[in-house]
Amino acid sequence: MSSNKSSINLLNFCIFNSTFGPREGEEHKRILFYHPQELDLDSKIKQVGLCEAITKFTETFTDKPCKSLHTQKTKQMLYQPEKDFWLVMTLAVPSTQRTKDGDSFLEYHEDDVQDSVFGSLLQLAY
C-alpha cells in the first residue's frame, strides 16, 4: 500500500563567495543571498560552510568544480559562474510513504530530480 508521492521542493538557494569574511566571526559576510531568509544566521553559515568544504575537498581530486552532491533525501546542485562565486540549490527528493509487512517506510525517487535539468535552472538563475 502507498500514499501520494511528495513533490520536488526547494530547501534552500544561496549565493556565496569564500573570499569575503575570511576571519573567524565574519563568516556571515560570505553569504550574498540566502533563501529562505527566515532561517537563522547560524544555520545559513553552517550550510554555506558545508558547501565550501565540499568544493574544497573535490578540488584535491580534479581541477573541475563540483557540480552536485546526492544524498538519499536531497540533491544539491552547485554552480561556479565566476572565480570564488558559487550558486547552490538544495532540493528535496520526492518520496512515497509505503507499507510492507506492517512496517511503514519512505521510498525516495531520486531519478525524478535530474542533474542536467536543475543544473540548467541554476545557470539560468545566474
Side-chain angles (χ1 to χ4, degrees), residues 17 22 30-31 40 43 49 56 68 75 79 88-89 92 96 99-100 102 105 117 120 125:
N17 184 321
R30 298 175 185 174
I31 304 170
D40 65 285
S43 296
K56 293 294 182 195
S68 67
K75 286 196 178 183
Y79 178 56
V88 181
M89 175 173 50
T96 306
T99 305
K100 183 176 181 180
F105 65 96
V117 172
S120 295

Side-chain angles (χ1 to χ4, degrees), residues 5 8 18 20-21 26 28 35 44 52-53 56 59-60 69 72 75 78-79 84 98 107 111 119 121:
K5 184 174 169 182
I8 299 170
S18 296
F20 298 171
E26 295 183 345
H28 64 282
H35 172 81
K44 292 176 185 179
E52 288 176 313
K56 293 294 182 195
E59 284 177 0
T60 61
L69 174 69
Q72 182 180 17
K75 286 196 178 183
L78 300 100
Y79 178 56
D84 299 322
R98 299 240 185 237
E107 178 181 33
D111 292 338
L121 279 175

Side-chain angles (χ1 to χ4, degrees), residues 58-80:
T58 57
E59 284 177 0
T60 61
F61 300 103
T62 181
D63 57 349
K64 295 178 184 176
C66 179
K67 293 185 179 184
S68 67
L69 174 69
H70 298 200
T71 67
Q72 182 180 17
K73 298 177 182 179
T74 65
K75 286 196 178 183
Q76 195 167 52
M77 307 297 156
L78 300 100
Y79 178 56
Q80 184 182 23

Side-chain angles (χ1 to χ4, degrees), residues 40-53:
D40 65 285
L41 184 59
D42 190 48
S43 296
K44 292 176 185 179
I45 291 170
K46 286 179 182 179
Q47 181 66 33
V48 168
L50 177 62
C51 294
E52 288 176 313

Side-chain angles (χ1 to χ4, degrees), residues 10-14 33-41 44:
L10 177 66
L11 297 177
N12 61 51
F13 175 75
C14 64
F33 175 81
Y34 198 97
H35 172 81
Q37 290 184 353
E38 52 275 353
L39 192 67
D40 65 285
L41 184 59
K44 292 176 185 179

